[in-house]
Every structure is written in structure tokens, then in C-alpha cells.
Amino acid sequence: MSRIVVALGGNMLSDASNKKETFEDQLNRIEYSAKVLVDMIIKGHEVVVTHGNGPQVGSLLLRMQSDIPGATKLPLYILGALTQGQIGVLLQHALINEITKKGVSQGEENGIKKKKYVYVVPTSVIVDVNDPGFENPTKPVGPSYTEEEFAKLDKGDYQYTNTPKGYRRVVASPRPINTLENEMISDILENGNLVIAVGGGGSPTVRTEDGGYQLVDAVIDKDLASAMLAKKVNADMLVILTDVDGVYADFGTENQRLISKMGMEEAKKLLKDPAWGKGNMGPKVNACVEFMDKGKAIITSPNKLMDALEGNAGTTF
Amino acid sequence: MSRIVVALGGNMLSDASNKKETFEDQLNRIEYSAKVLVDMIIKGHEVVVTHGNGPQVGSLLLRMQSDIPGATKLPLYILGALTQGQIGVLLQHALINEITKKGVSQGEENGIKKKKYVYVVPTSVIVDVNDPGFENPTKPVGPSYTEEEFAKLDKGDYQYTNTPKGYRRVVASPRPINTLENEMISDILENGNLVIAVGGGGSPTVRTEDGGYQLVDAVIDKDLASAMLAKKVNADMLVILTDVDGVYADFGTENQRLISKMGMEEAKKLLKDPAWGKGNMGPKVNACVEFMDKGKAIITSPNKLMDALEGNAGTTF
């Protein structure tokens, strides 16, 4: 049985392009994701689930904009923990229901099926307080403002950038180093149960000078956090699920062709190409590079997943 | 070492009377709560932490009122999971920092201090789909509306009641039966670590006809959920921390006197008194009654806690 960390892309939880998306629309995507994951379990894989939180945290940031008497304004550094609860519990229930429906268990013990539990672990991910990301924040978060809105905005101590969509707040995207929950996550896996962890990349946490911990405004890349977790739990494989079925050369042109196998050198070369590093695929390739000295990494879409696991689809690193 | 489930009252996390309370004000209360809990651990008790979420979930409900393009409206049944992430992770960090500061460990193993970890368990609490609470919802949630506002309100399928503060939505407050996370909570305790569970009473969950689970709009009383958890983890004691140092007879009058010891019969008689059952203390006494056949239960305030544990303050059941 191979242990696989599966990172669910934002599109598996929400359709970011649909401004009218309802909570029920998101639930449908979560239920579909649960089906995909349970199909992997039925095929004999041990699955560790991680997920994005972009649209969900963006939604909460939007709602935190207004001054409402009696409604506390929550800072970014804790909003990730809210979405770990939100997405985690919804995924947990969808997974339990799918496991029940398909009759999946841990096998039999004295003729009785041993139940497979699903647990959510809100994860604090440690980053270096001296990470260069904090000096030069680049990750846009929350709403975009027109020139006029931006002029009137109470900017606080935040940093902003002018994006093609308008002005947006930018925060650091520091490199994930460790989690505060490694032991618990490993224990859950050793007991044969299913775990949902490092949701949205985890709650960004730095060490303080007195040996304690402090949450910080930042967004950790969920694919990098998944690669880090995959190493911590000694996973055999990292699978990044997204809306494209693999990494393409000349993507979006007539000549586009799937790269089915990518070596370390080729991947690193690709990441240096400026057109690449900034795209959607860059961070995913980067996460695969992080993990590929420990095991196999695959980028693919949910409907090509089963083929990709057998080497017949997707991009394998 | 006695195992004690400690339920943190709303006032230990937030000052509900302060409409201008900031997130930092709430953080200070959480840090104070962590101090109180770690002092108990230093005294040699094994602590299981539970907490309320009233102000936090009320705050989110208020923010979900407005229609904001691109910001999903989340239903009540998932908001509890968000606050379990929010309060849980803040408490976890405050506890870890206090444990580090005070040098608390699990003891030494081969001369090396064994780290005491703190984990948050977003808990789904099972309630009966036929609970009478669903037929006749009584728990007010979210904002209150004037006559005029109420007339214009899109009421959906919700039920409302006219309270002294105005019209408010009411939901069921069903009786907690079990959790989906018992095994994990017990494992964390067996490993000598600290757990935060059934926050806000847990995410209300019913069984479906096909053997699965479904989240439902409801609010489970956090003290009753704590009593239920105390039974599941075989706790020796349930401690309910609130802003009054114990249960008083003729409270608020010149004749008020602390009831230091309350028996089952007396407590049940008290709960039948209509003036009582509706007050703040009623649900707490009710939770103590639930647990008192399994062990000791105490209602007290944080600053009387140490005396109460020695039988010199608070109300003991």
C-alpha cells in the first residue's frame, strides 16, 4: 500500500470564476472530491488529504471589510484557521458518507469490520521569521480596488500592489518548514484512519524569541505545504489535483503537448522561465521538485487521476 | 492525577456586553484563560478543554447578513466549525506559549523532557434527528430586528421569536449524544497531550437514513456537550468556568448566599423552578446534573478555581 498526499486544488472546492457561486455549489464540488479520494482508497492507496482555501478565505476577507457594530474584525492570520474548520468539516462529512456508502473499512478484525474514521487537523505551519517573503510580500489577498477606491482606503500597515485587476493587498508567501501537529497526523495515519491537514497551506506561524509561537499575516502555498507534509509523513507519492490534466509545453497554443515525464533538471529549468514561474502551474511544479528526491510526484486532473496513477496520464516527476 | 473537563464560558473568550470589543481584547481573554488552564496542569491535573462560541458565531452571523458579490453566504450549520478553527487555534497557541513559559512537560524520559503538545479537534456532535428541539426551536441566534426591520426581512424557512430585544431567529438546541471524534480525543489524552474539543458545543450532526451523517442548523449547549464529553473520556470531574463564583440562592438580592454543595435532588428541584431554568445558571446546573452520577462537577469563576478544586469555593455537585 502506497501512502499518497493528495492536494485538492481550489477548483475542486469552488469555482472562482463564478461570482454568484452559492454554498450549495461548493458543497457539490466537495462531494465530488470525496468520491475521487475514496476511489483512490478503494484502489488500495493510503490517502492523506490537503486542500486549498483561496476562494473561501477571499470570501471571509471581503466580509471583514465592513464596520458592523457587534461584529469583530478578524485579521488575516486567523482566517485560515476558520477555513480549515469550514472546508475540513465539510470534506470530513463528505468523506465519511462516501466511505459508508461504498462500505470501505480498515478490513476485518475477528469477523467485524473495523471502522475507518476521518479527522480534521487544523494545522499550524512553521515558517522562518526571516523568510525573504516578509521583506518583499508578493501574494495578493482579498478584494481589488479601483484607483479611486484605493485613494480613499484606510491602508493601515499593509502593503499593496497594482495588479491588472486593480490595487490589492499583498502578503508574504513564506516557505513552509514544519507543523505543530506532525505527531498527531502520524498517529492518525498509523491507526489506519484518514486525515485532512495543512488546509489552505496551514496557519502561518513563526517562532518567537522566547521559544513560543506567533501567528502571522501570510499565505503559505498549499502545494508547497503539501510537499512538506508528504516528507514529514514519509509519503511515497505527492499528487496535485488541478483543472488541467498535466503540465503542457506551449500550453494554450496549437502546438501544446503534454509533458508526461519531467526530470529534476527540466523542471528547474522550466521554473526559471519568467513566463512560467508566475503562472498557475509554476507553484505546482515547484512543489513537485521539492518532493521528487523523496518519491514520485504527479500533477493531473481528477478525471485523469486513475490513469495517471498507472503512468498513463498526467505529468509524473 | 485526576482528569478534568474544563468548560470555558463565553466571558473567558469575549466580553459580550462590549459592542466595540476588538479582536485584541478577545486575544487577551484567551491568554488569561490559557494561564488558568496551565495553572491547573501545574497543580497535577489532566485537563481537557472545551469552550463556548456565542459571541464569535454571532459575529459571523451578522457578517453573513449582507449580499456581497463574490462572498459566499455560509449557513449556520457550518459557522460553528469556523469558530472551532478560530477559537481552537488561538487557544492552542496561547496554551503552547504558556506551557513553554512555565516549562511544563510530560515529565522526563531518559533525562530528556517529553514535550506536551496541544491539539485542536473540530468536533461533530451527534444529536437525535427526532430531538423535540427541532419541532419547537427555542435558542435565539444572530441579530435582533425591530418590528419594522422584521416586516421587511427575507425570512426564508427560518423560525423567529419576539424577544425583549426584538425579533430573533430561533433554532433547536438538541441534546448531545456522542461525537465523531471520541477515539481521536482519547488517543491524544492517552499520549499525555492536551486537547481542545466540542468547541461551541460542537458541529450539530444527525444520522441520515442511509447510515451517513448530515450537519444541521442548531446550537448545542456547550456545557451539556462538555458533560457528554466528560463521560466519553471517563473524566473524574467537570468544571464549568463562568463569571459568577458559584450558584447562589436568592441571587441578586440582599439575602444572596452561595450554595457550596448541591445534591442531585436539590439541583433537579431548582431546574424545575421557571425563574431558574431560563437564566444563565440553569443550563450549567443541568450539565452538572448530567455528569454527577459519574463524578464531581463544579461551577465557579476562574479566580476562585484553585480554592474550588480544594472544596473551599464555588458550588460542588
Side-chain angles (χ1 to χ4, degrees), chain A residues 19 22-23 26-27 59-60 62-64 66 68-75 77-78 81-82 85-86 89-90 92-93 96-97 100 115 117 119-120 122 124 180-181 183-184 187-188 191 205 211-213 215, chain B residues 19 22-23 26-27 59-60 62-64 66 68-75 77-78 81-82 85-86 89-90 92-93 96-97 100 115 117 119-120 122 124 180-181 183-184 187-188 191 205 211-213 215:
Chain A
K19 287 278 174 211
T22 64
F23 178 73
Q26 294 189 358
L27 264 190
S59 203
L60 289 176
L62 261 172
R63 293 201 174 276
M64 292 300 153
S66 14
I68 302 177
T72 321
K73 256 189 197 177
L74 305 177
Y77 71 73
I78 193 60
L82 276 81
Q86 172 187 340
V89 169
L90 293 174
Q92 176 198 25
H93 280 243
I96 293 175
N97 288 343
T100 307
K115 215 168 163 175
Y117 292 95
Y119 298 124
V120 183
S124 292
L180 289 182
E181 289 80 11
E183 277 207 8
M184 177 157 118
D187 286 349
I188 293 172
N191 289 331
T205 302
Y213 296 96
L215 292 159
Chain B
K19 288 277 175 211
T22 63
F23 179 73
Q26 294 189 0
L27 265 190
S59 202
L60 288 177
L62 262 172
R63 292 200 175 276
M64 292 299 153
S66 16
I68 302 177
T72 320
K73 256 191 195 175
L74 305 178
Y77 71 74
I78 194 61
L82 276 80
Q86 174 188 338
V89 169
L90 293 174
Q92 176 199 24
H93 280 242
I96 293 175
N97 288 343
T100 307
K115 215 168 164 173
Y117 291 95
Y119 298 123
V120 183
S124 293
L180 289 182
E181 288 80 12
E183 277 206 10
M184 178 157 114
D187 285 349
I188 294 172
N191 289 332
T205 302
Y213 296 97
L215 291 159

Side-chain angles (χ1 to χ4, degrees), chain A residues 95-113:
Chain A
L95 284 164
I96 293 175
N97 288 343
E98 189 66 16
I99 280 173
T100 307
K101 195 170 142 189
K102 300 273 171 77
V104 176
S105 70
Q106 292 193 35
E108 295 194 2
E109 209 169 52
N110 307 322
I112 297 163
K113 275 194 177 178

Side-chain angles (χ1 to χ4, degrees), chain B residues 5-311:
Chain B
V5 170
V6 185
L8 303 177
N11 67 305
M12 295 194 70
L13 308 168
S14 164
D15 176 5
S17 71
N18 177 5
K19 288 277 175 211
K20 288 183 177 164
E21 185 178 50
T22 63
F23 179 73
E24 284 68 30
D25 295 333
Q26 294 189 0
L27 265 190
N28 290 335
R29 284 177 184 251
I30 286 175
E31 281 168 10
Y32 172 69
S33 299
K35 280 199 180 69
V36 170
L37 293 166
V38 172
D39 283 348
M40 287 181 77
I41 296 170
I42 292 170
K43 286 269 177 193
H45 303 293
E46 186 189 10
V47 169
V48 181
V49 186
T50 73
H51 62 82
N53 73 342
Q56 290 78 7
V57 86
S59 202
L60 288 177
L61 270 169
L62 262 172
R63 292 200 175 276
M64 292 299 153
Q65 294 278 103
S66 16
D67 291 307
I68 302 177
T72 320
K73 256 191 195 175
L74 305 178
L76 174 65
Y77 71 74
I78 194 61
L79 291 183
L82 276 80
T83 65
Q84 290 195 62
Q86 174 188 338
I87 303 167
V89 169
L90 293 174
L91 253 176
Q92 176 199 24
H93 280 242
L95 283 164
I96 293 175
N97 288 343
E98 188 67 16
I99 281 173
T100 307
K101 195 170 144 192
K102 299 274 170 73
V104 176
S105 70
Q106 292 193 34
E108 293 192 5
E109 211 170 50
N110 307 323
I112 297 163
K113 275 194 177 178
K114 201 162 170 271
K115 215 168 164 173
K116 197 174 182 71
Y117 291 95
V118 185
Y119 298 123
V120 183
V121 178
T123 315
S124 293
V125 172
I126 313 291
V127 300
D128 186 348
V129 69
N130 297 314
D131 191 289
F134 290 110
E135 280 293 308
N136 184 26
T138 53
K139 174 82 187 166
V141 290
S144 51
Y145 306 96
T146 63
E147 193 91 39
E148 201 178 340
E149 287 167 339
F150 188 65
K152 287 186 207 152
L153 186 70
D154 174 11
K155 300 179 189 68
D157 292 332
Y158 302 155
Q159 288 185 259
Y160 293 82
T161 191
N162 197 354
T163 74
K165 289 179 185 171
Y167 289 90
R168 290 185 77 190
R169 181 179 168 198
V170 279
V171 295
S173 185
R175 186 184 159 75
I177 300 171
N178 207 345
T179 87
L180 289 182
E181 288 80 12
N182 290 346
E183 277 206 10
M184 178 157 114
I185 294 168
S186 295
D187 285 349
I188 294 172
L189 294 173
E190 291 320 309
N191 289 332
N193 294 317
L194 197 53
V195 64
I196 301 163
V198 301
S203 294
T205 302
V206 295
R207 293 301 298 261
T208 55
E209 281 177 13
D210 56 5
Y213 296 97
Q214 194 178 327
L215 291 159
V216 285
D217 276 356
V219 170
I220 300 170
D221 181 80
K222 75 114 179 34
D223 295 312
L224 268 185
S226 305
M228 182 268 294
L229 181 68
K231 287 188 207 171
K232 298 288 176 195
V233 300
N234 293 312
D236 306 293
M237 208 189 295
L238 169 69
V239 171
I240 296 178
L241 290 180
T242 181
D243 47 358
V244 191
D245 66 350
V247 184
Y248 281 80
D250 300 321
F251 186 68
T253 72
E254 265 183 22
N255 290 325
Q256 72 170 44
R257 56 209 181 276
L258 180 74
I259 308 172
S260 3
K261 188 93 191 113
M262 203 183 281
M264 177 91 76
E265 293 310 309
E266 193 183 350
K268 284 189 174 169
K269 212 176 112 189
L270 210 62
L271 287 172
K272 280 190 189 140
D273 180 348
W276 252 88
K278 302 224 167 181
N280 261 331
M281 206 45 101
K284 297 184 201 330
V285 171
N286 193 22
C288 291
V289 168
E290 278 289 320
F291 185 69
M292 67 195 291
D293 56 341
K294 295 282 177 181
K296 201 193 271 192
I298 294 177
I299 297 176
T300 193
S301 60
N303 55 345
K304 289 288 172 77
L305 173 61
M306 290 303 161
D307 290 340
L309 288 173
E310 289 170 8

Side-chain angles (χ1 to χ4, degrees), chain A residues 170-188:
Chain A
V170 279
V171 296
S173 186
R175 187 184 157 77
I177 299 171
N178 206 345
T179 89
L180 289 182
E181 289 80 11
N182 291 347
E183 277 207 8
M184 177 157 118
I185 293 167
S186 295
D187 286 349
I188 293 172

